[in-house]
Structure formats: C-alpha cells, structure tokens
Amino acid sequence: MPETTASWIKFTIAFYNVENLFDTINDPKTHDDDFTKEGRLRWDKNKFDKKIRNLGAIIKKIGSEQTNKPPIIIGLAEIENASVLEALISSKSLKQYNYGFVHFDSKDERGIDTALLYRKEFLKIESKKAHPIEFIEEDGEKDFTRDILQVSGEIAGQRVNILVNHWPSRRAGAELTEPSRLKVSKINKQIISEIRSKNNDAKIIIMGDFNDDPFSKSIQELVSENLYNPMELLHTRDHGSLTHKGNWNLFDQILVSQNFIQQYGNTFRFDTAEIFNLKSVQVFEGPYKGHPFRTYAGPKYLGGISDHFPVFLTFTIKPLNVDN
C-alpha cells in the first residue's frame, strides 16, 4: 500500500514540552512571579511574543517533511493558561490551519498545565476531561501536580482516545521521586482500563513528558497494558529529547495501543516515530552545540525555543467512508 493515495491520508501527531509558556501577568493564585517584567527572569511582552513566533514556526514544521502538512494533533506541556494557547494558535505560522485547543487549569502550584492543540477539520472532539493528580506530604498537606488530560474524538470517522501527561520531575533525585511517577503511571493504567471497559478494542495514544526514559520502571509498567512504545529505539547515548549534565534523556514519548501496529486490514495504523531535532531547534555552536536551544539557562535569557525537542509519530488512515 502506498504511503498516501487518493483515499489514504498520512498525518502527524506530536508532543512538545514548550518550556514555561507563561504570559506576563502576575497570577496571585500561582507561583508565577518570575515570569513578570519585575520578576527574577525579567519576562516581558517582547520575550513572550518572540517565543510565540518561534513556537508557531516550529510546530508548523513538525512532521511536514513526512506528511506535507503540520501536525493534526499536538500535546503540550508547561502551558500557563488558555490565553497563551490563544496567542499560539493565532500566531502567523499557525493561524491559517484553524487549530483549536483543549485545556483545563490544574492545581499545580507553579500554574503549569497540559493542553492539546488540534486541527478542527481533522479531529472532531467527543469528550474531554482532566484527571487531577494529588500527593499527600509527610505533614498531611495535599500537593498537586499537572493533570492528565483525556480527549476522545474521531479522526476521519475513526475513534481515538488521547492522554496528555506531564509527570513529576526528578529535581529532588531520580530514585527519591520515582514513587510519584509510578503513581501517575498507575493512574494512566486505570484510565486505560476504564476506556477498554467500554470498548475493548479502543485505540489509545498516550503522550507526555514522563520525566522517565523508555526503559524506566514507570514506562515499562505502562507498556505492560498492551501498549507499544515506538520510541524505545530512539534513545541512545547521543540522541534524546533533552539533556541533563551532558547526558541525553528521552523523557518525551508517545505510546500507542497494540491495535495501531496491526498491518493486515488495519485502516488506522502507526507508521514511524521520530525526534524533531533539526538545526532550527538546536544550539548552533559552542559546548552545547546540538542540544535543544532553550529559552533560559537558570536566570539567564538565551532567547531560544525550548529545553526539549518535540517528538512525533506519523500515522496512515483510511477514512471509513472511502470504499476499498
């Protein structure tokens, strides 16, 4: 079967941690003071507008070499609110593609959330839901992290379920924080079970910044739910989606249910997985050449796009109303 014919469509689904996409307005309910004009990072309208322009230009290019069009779905992490999403989909590079978005404000203390951009002509939303994630601290206080965003809908008449994640960080140490990520992995498994209780053959896509690599325990436990992780082979000593102390990690991943990889008779199937690491998102020179071109390094403004590379999958689909 050719990759794309008059009846078959090839398209991209992506995920991107966009590194603190904050507006410039102080929200008294969250810890966003750094991202104001008077804050530690001196975040202002010029810097915000530049970041929006750059992100729009990059998102437009993700998977375009493979499919000749921008992604039809992009999961996002580190989004402050709906206003920054409005700015992003209205940017010069994206406004012609009629993107919509799904977003809920979470109780994360920093005020960062997950979100989903989607091209309205391709994805018809049927339902959307945020799954809050809370932890109980030693003193009995509740601590919230980013919600799991669940979106269900139809692409060319075929139903798909999407979960967008941003798991707890490793800042306090990978081993010390592992139980938190295992807990969120378990919640994803519970959501998968709920979806399959209604349709055992449901097509499911789980994406996110998991703060764990493909062979970490949390990801392996998730894969055990009859999922396939096409990104396992992409993580090497010299390749990943982000770096930490000179080492590459692949925290940004997209997993799919096994029914996406069936070949015979499958009208909605996975094709390829890639890290979008073209030169346009890299540091051009110096000791960090080839690393993601980030917006900030600590308090120092670099003017880059994100400290993560986007990742994406390509799919081939045959609309249900097209005859064989």
Side-chain angles (χ1 to χ4, degrees), residues 1 13 36 61 74 76 93 97 104 142 155 159 183 241 274 278 287 299 309 312 318:
M1 184 191 75
I13 289 178
T36 59
K61 295 177 183 177
I74 313 104
L76 299 175
S93 295
Y97 296 108
F104 295 91
K142 290 183 178 180
I155 302 174
R159 201 163 196 274
K183 176 177 178 175
S241 60
E274 298 188 45
L278 301 184
F309 290 143
F312 68 96
K318 185 173 185 180

Side-chain angles (χ1 to χ4, degrees), residues 1-11 65-69 269 271-272 274 314-318:
M1 184 191 75
E3 288 187 344
T4 304
T5 67
S7 58
W8 291 83
I9 303 168
K10 191 167 187 176
F11 61 89
E65 291 185 5
Q66 293 79 1
T67 65
N68 296 315
K69 53 182 172 288
R269 71 184 195 187
D271 282 345
T272 61
E274 298 188 45
T314 59
F315 292 80
T316 308
I317 191 167
K318 185 173 185 180

Side-chain angles (χ1 to χ4, degrees), residues 143-181:
D143 182 34
F144 291 89
T145 189
R146 286 76 59 164
D147 297 343
I148 300 171
L149 177 63
Q150 179 180 354
V151 178
S152 299
E154 288 190 352
I155 302 174
Q158 304 207 42
R159 201 163 196 274
V160 63
N161 303 272
I162 304 163
L163 303 180
V164 186
N165 290 258
H166 186 188
W167 290 6
S169 78
R170 295 184 169 198
R171 188 169 291 117
E175 291 186 10
L176 184 65
T177 57
E178 183 184 46
S180 296
R181 291 185 294 281

Side-chain angles (χ1 to χ4, degrees), residues 157-228:
Q158 304 207 42
R159 201 163 196 274
V160 63
N161 303 272
I162 304 163
L163 303 180
V164 186
N165 290 258
H166 186 188
W167 290 6
S169 78
R170 295 184 169 198
R171 188 169 291 117
E175 291 186 10
L176 184 65
T177 57
E178 183 184 46
S180 296
R181 291 185 294 281
L182 287 169
K183 176 177 178 175
V184 186
S185 176
K186 183 178 180 180
I187 295 172
N188 273 269
K189 292 167 68 173
Q190 292 169 349
I191 298 169
I192 292 170
S193 294
E194 182 180 347
I195 292 170
R196 287 177 173 159
S197 70
K198 300 173 183 176
N199 176 8
N200 192 50
D201 195 40
K203 283 189 161 64
I204 302 170
I205 299 171
I206 303 179
M207 60 175 68
D209 173 358
F210 298 106
N211 273 299
D212 270 336
D213 290 313
F215 290 101
S216 298
K217 184 177 179 181
S218 63
I219 301 298
Q220 288 297 297
E221 289 200 0
L222 193 53
V223 170
S224 71
E225 291 296 309
N226 199 27
L227 299 177
Y228 171 62

Side-chain angles (χ1 to χ4, degrees), residues 226-273:
N226 199 27
L227 299 177
Y228 171 62
N229 188 353
M231 317 207 76
E232 288 184 352
L233 298 180
L234 300 183
H235 184 209
T236 69
R237 188 176 68 176
D238 301 314
H239 293 92
S241 60
L242 73 157
T243 58
H244 178 65
K245 295 182 178 180
N247 298 315
W248 283 98
N249 292 103
L250 186 58
F251 291 168
D252 307 274
Q253 301 168 59
I254 307 175
L255 289 65
V256 299
S257 49
Q258 289 281 348
N259 47 15
F260 275 111
I261 62 175
Q262 298 168 2
Q263 293 298 307
Y264 180 74
N266 189 0
T267 56
F268 189 1
R269 71 184 195 187
F270 158 76
D271 282 345
T272 61

